[in-house]
Amino acid sequence: MSPFPKLSPLQSRFAASLAASLLLVLIYLLSTQPSFAYAADSIPPEDHNHRRLLHSHGVDHLLGAADETPFDLYEAHFPGMDRGIIGRRAPEGITALGNNAPRLGNLDFGRIDNWVFPRETLLEPRHQSSKAPVRRESGGNTSQVESGQAIIERQDSSTSVFITLNTCLQPSSTSSDSTSPPPPLEIFISRTASNPRPGPDSPADSQETLIATAGYASLELSASDDIFISISAPSAPSGEAFNDDPYNYELAVSIDAPYHTSTEIPFMNLVDTDSGSALFFTSPLPAPFLDPSDPQKVLDDDLPPPFTLFAHNTNSTTNSIAGLENSYCGLKNRAQRLTSQDNGDDLSILPPPVPPSFPSSSNGRPEKDRRDGIDPQTRQPRQQIHLRGLNASSTYVAILAMTGNGTDSGGGIIGGGGHIYAPLRFTTKSESNCAIIHSLPFCSHLAHAVPSNPNLFPPPPLSAPIPTHLSPLASFYDTRASSLYRNFTISLSQIACETSSTAQYSLARTCTDCALAYKNWLCAVTMPRCTDYSSPLPYLAARNIAQPFPNGTALPPPISQPDRDAWSSSWANRSRNSLIDQVVRPGPYKEVLPCRELCHELVRSCPAALGFACPAEGKGLERSYGRGGECSAPGEGVRGFVSGAGRRMGGGGAKVVVGTVGVVLVFLTVV
């Protein structure tokens, strides 16, 4: 082997320079060749699959019926890979679902629809707005990719998925006297590619099964791959005939939160009814409507009320809601009544209760510390619903609902399918001489039915409703109470309210307490709570029994001696206040007595110099006031203690005189 030639110093330097130059050229070529680029070096800032699904096919297509043309392409797109790489197509006959993108389907008896929620949709970015709040994670590590101002999280393991269904329509019984619903829809769910069409004939261990309850089904699960969903209509039952109407349903899948929701928790109270309407108060408004640190803000922002109300007459044998009670779209299609201001209904947000006005706070005591007899929870705004246009002497099912998530609804909105609360059953009054008043300027805590006369005080027309608090009947009662209260403040102003503690009339109560106690008592006795004379409840007090009803009919003459004695007694043959008989002339009715605690609180809270006193037991107290859950008080509807329509209502009472001797003095005695 010949030895390597010996180079001169100049040749050595040239060879080293040439080798370095060739190496640089090779590195340059390698770094600029496209086929050598790594996909992982450039990760897109967001998952484009969501945008492609929603926009290239159109939101309207997503909301179309199941029998419409399904997605033409089911292209997987993985973050970090070139968009030109074509992914899997959905198997034939299986339609892909998008996130928060509801789809409608129609099924005849015995038929089945097949859907898939693709794996790629699980990788979508979490929504960051009210339209798409952050979803709950089911565990596993997350990677973060910054996109503009937002930090978007992605899961590399399983993701929580919410599957919900609403039955919107269903076959009806052909029997005219039957309201029995058909068998419910079934939902079969598979998370394995070996069972892409789950259903009643597939192995039970390869799928999960749900049965819609009252038109609603919901399942939360964790998934990291395709989710296959089948909606199955039952076979036609053999025991009862149904028409040929199909099952119509709305199916939605979300990685954020359930698109449809339903709960058995009640969220409203029935306050009272009359022969053509019913009044409800909801519980305090939930977030995002209410800022706990500033409850008044929801009123200042003038937000639309978040709740609506469905009502259905249980006496009706047509368009039954049986089997659809938990479905928002089902109730929207079948319920006889949906509250609307166009129908004369009142949908308004109520402000927090406030104490009555008084010239100044007592002894510098802060306004927020004043005693007002109202549960602190009622200081939160809530919604009032006055449902009108109902039939007399009819039993209804009322179902409170939230349209969408309360601020927005429809496809692309988290919770956009609506929320259903527990149903409430009530019965309207049979006689027309009681009418609901509420939202009064002065007696703002009072909301119930009062003695009325539809001939002299007709209800506002449904076509052009007048706010109830502006109706002539409401104005009559509220103006009377307000004028008496003004006289009372003159008397109270003569009491040394702003004085030293040693000169106060009480160390436990103040003039502010007295003013509130008087207002609550005054509103209760000035506006007696009215119910049907035909009600058999034993604690109700008969009024005006010898007078004719507004329609001209009259009660038959008494036969028994006790009835004859009651007929001639002043407490049963007159109203609590003489102006009611003189101006309103309601005829016979029964009264729910005001709570005796109103009288006791007034006596405890006010100076003895004003002369307030309650009648003694056995000497008029039992005829003037009720007790426990069988009495009426301003604010009880707000507190939710009253279920209305004769339940947990009470009554019986006698006339109370308001007299004046130099200054206003009120004697709580029986005449």
Side-chain angles (χ1 to χ4, degrees):
M1 183 175 181
S2 60
F4 192 83
K6 186 175 182 180
L7 301 177
S8 65
L10 180 61
Q11 290 174 326
S12 298
R13 287 194 294 270
F14 174 76
S17 299
L18 179 62
S21 299
L22 292 175
L23 180 61
L24 289 174
V25 170
L26 179 61
I27 293 174
Y28 171 77
L29 292 175
L30 290 175
S31 63
T32 57
Q33 180 65 28
S35 61
F36 286 91
Y38 289 95
D41 293 337
S42 178
I43 299 178
E46 63 176 344
D47 181 355
H48 300 279
N49 186 47
H50 179 64
R51 182 172 298 175
R52 174 172 58 82
L53 287 176
L54 287 183
H55 297 290
S56 65
H57 295 280
V59 173
D60 292 339
H61 179 76
L62 284 174
L63 299 177
D67 54 5
E68 293 179 359
T69 303
F71 288 112
D72 297 325
L73 292 177
Y74 170 46
E75 298 181 1
H77 177 63
F78 299 93
M81 298 190 67
D82 186 85
R83 191 171 175 79
I85 300 175
I86 303 300
R88 303 158 295 157
R89 292 177 180 270
E92 184 177 355
I94 300 179
T95 307
L97 293 163
N99 185 35
N100 296 307
R103 297 297 300 270
L104 297 175
N106 291 312
L107 285 174
D108 293 325
F109 281 119
R111 302 299 297 272
I112 190 168
D113 281 342
N114 301 113
W115 306 86
V116 61
F117 190 68
R119 175 184 182 276
E120 290 71 30
T121 311
L122 299 176
L123 301 176
E124 292 182 3
R126 294 192 301 181
H127 297 283
Q128 304 293 317
S129 67
S130 61
K131 290 189 176 182
V134 177
R135 72 178 188 272
R136 291 183 292 166
E137 301 291 354
S138 60
N141 297 324
T142 61
S143 60
Q144 295 186 348
V145 180
E146 187 167 356
S147 175
Q149 299 296 322
I151 300 295
I152 301 173
E153 296 182 0
R154 301 174 188 269
Q155 279 190 297
D156 8 78
S157 61
S158 60
T159 300
S160 290
V161 179
F162 304 89
I163 302 171
T164 57
L165 176 135
N166 267 193
T167 304
C168 303
L169 290 170
Q170 60 188 7
S172 301
S173 173
T174 57
S175 175
S176 60
D177 58 352
S178 174
T179 57
S180 299
L185 292 173
E186 290 185 274
I187 303 94
F188 297 91
I189 302 164
S190 167
R191 284 177 280 180
T192 172
S194 63
N195 185 17
R197 291 180 174 84
D201 298 328
S202 298
D205 58 356
S206 65
Q207 62 189 18
E208 297 167 81
T209 305
L210 289 175
I211 299 178
T213 301
Y216 173 74
S218 174
L219 177 67
E220 178 183 357
L221 51 80
S222 296
S224 57
D225 210 332
D226 295 339
I227 303 174
F228 299 96
I229 306 169
S230 296
I231 311 300
S232 176
S235 300
S238 57
E240 185 173 353
F242 290 87
N243 60 21
D244 295 331
D245 292 344
Y247 289 90
N248 178 264
Y249 65 88
E250 184 176 72
L251 174 66
V253 183
S254 173
I255 59 175
D256 304 295
Y259 184 80
H260 312 91
T261 49
S262 176
T263 179
E264 296 181 357
I265 299 174
F267 201 74
M268 72 174 179
N269 296 291
L270 174 65
V271 179
D272 208 348
T273 69
D274 55 29
S275 60
S277 69
L279 183 66
F280 306 86
F281 288 156
T282 70
S283 297
L285 297 181
F289 314 101
L290 188 62
D291 181 358
S293 63
D294 185 11
Q296 186 70 26
K297 187 176 185 297
V298 67
L299 302 170
D300 299 336
D301 291 346
D302 196 25
L303 296 175
F307 296 105
T308 188
L309 187 71
F310 295 102
H312 196 83
N313 193 327
T314 60
N315 300 330
S316 173
T317 58
T318 59
N319 293 328
S320 172
I321 63 171
L324 302 174
E325 297 92 334
N326 294 336
S327 167
Y328 185 91
C329 64
L331 291 171
K332 189 174 181 180
N333 288 330
R334 286 290 182 88
Q336 294 174 331
R337 281 298 316 276
L338 168 64
T339 50
S340 169
Q341 293 179 338
D342 295 335
N343 296 330
D345 302 323
D346 175 65
L347 300 168
S348 57
I349 296 178
L350 298 178
V354 295
S357 59
F358 197 65
S360 61
S361 61
S362 301
N363 301 322
R365 203 160 120 195
E367 180 76 21
K368 65 179 180 180
D369 291 335
R370 291 183 176 184
R371 296 169 51 90
D372 59 9
I374 302 296
D375 189 300
Q377 188 184 28
T378 65
R379 294 188 180 280
Q380 308 299 324
R382 59 194 61 219
Q383 186 175 331
Q384 171 181 275
I385 302 175
H386 188 193
L387 179 66
R388 303 176 62 211
L390 305 179
N391 297 330
S393 191
S394 297
T395 299
Y396 287 84
V397 173
I399 302 176
L400 185 71
M402 182 182 291
T403 302
N405 58 23
T407 59
D408 209 344
S409 63
I413 306 300
I414 292 183
H419 184 89
I420 298 296
Y421 294 88
L424 185 153
R425 188 178 294 262
F426 68 94
T427 302
T428 54
K429 291 181 171 60
S430 59
E431 295 151 19
S432 62
N433 58 345
C434 297
I436 288 176
I437 59 174
H438 61 82
S439 305
L440 304 174
F442 177 70
C443 292
S444 56
H445 294 171
L446 187 142
H448 59 226
V450 295
S452 181
N453 185 326
N455 300 325
L456 301 177
F457 295 91
L462 300 179
S463 57
I466 301 173
T468 305
H469 62 278
L470 299 179
S471 68
L473 181 68
S475 178
F476 162 74
Y477 281 105
D478 200 54
T479 300
R480 173 63 176 166
S482 178
S483 63
L484 292 173
Y485 185 79
R486 283 195 298 270
N487 293 335
F488 163 77
T489 59
I490 296 174
S491 299
L492 189 58
S493 64
Q494 300 181 35
I495 303 298
C497 295
E498 302 292 339
T499 185
S500 63
S501 59
T502 57
Q504 292 178 16
Y505 71 87
S506 171
L507 295 177
R509 303 300 172 95
T510 68
C511 290
T512 299
D513 299 324
C514 176
L516 178 68
Y518 180 81
K519 180 180 179 180
N520 287 338
W521 173 85
L522 178 65
C523 290
V525 298
T526 305
M527 308 179 197
R529 187 167 191 150
C530 174
T531 191
D532 288 332
Y533 181 83
S534 57
S535 175
L537 295 176
Y539 46 78
L540 299 177
R543 302 294 193 201
N544 282 353
I545 58 178
Q547 309 303 317
F549 287 99
N551 61 6
T553 61
L555 297 173
I559 298 177
S560 65
Q561 186 60 44
D563 289 340
R564 287 196 293 268
D565 293 341
W567 193 278
S568 59
S569 67
S570 60
W571 58 267
N573 204 22
R574 302 167 64 181
S575 292
R576 178 179 289 273
N577 300 313
S578 59
L579 276 180
I580 295 176
D581 298 334
Q582 298 170 14
V583 178
V584 180
R585 290 180 283 173
Y589 66 94
K590 288 185 178 178
E591 181 189 343
V592 182
L593 291 174
C595 297
R596 60 181 60 185
E597 182 60 24
L598 290 170
C599 181
H600 296 320
E601 181 67 15
L602 177 58
V603 174
R604 287 193 296 263
S605 299
C606 291
L610 293 181
F612 294 134
C614 296
E617 188 78 42
K619 296 184 178 180
L621 181 64
E622 65 282 357
R623 290 183 177 178
S624 297
Y625 300 97
R627 67 170 71 202
E630 302 174 350
C631 62
S632 177
E636 62 184 1
V638 176
R639 292 196 301 268
F641 293 160
V642 175
S643 57
R647 292 176 295 174
R648 296 182 64 186
M649 291 171 54
K655 181 179 178 181
V656 175
V657 175
V658 178
T660 304
V661 182
V663 295
V664 176
L665 297 178
V666 182
F667 298 93
L668 281 67
T669 55
V670 177
V671 177

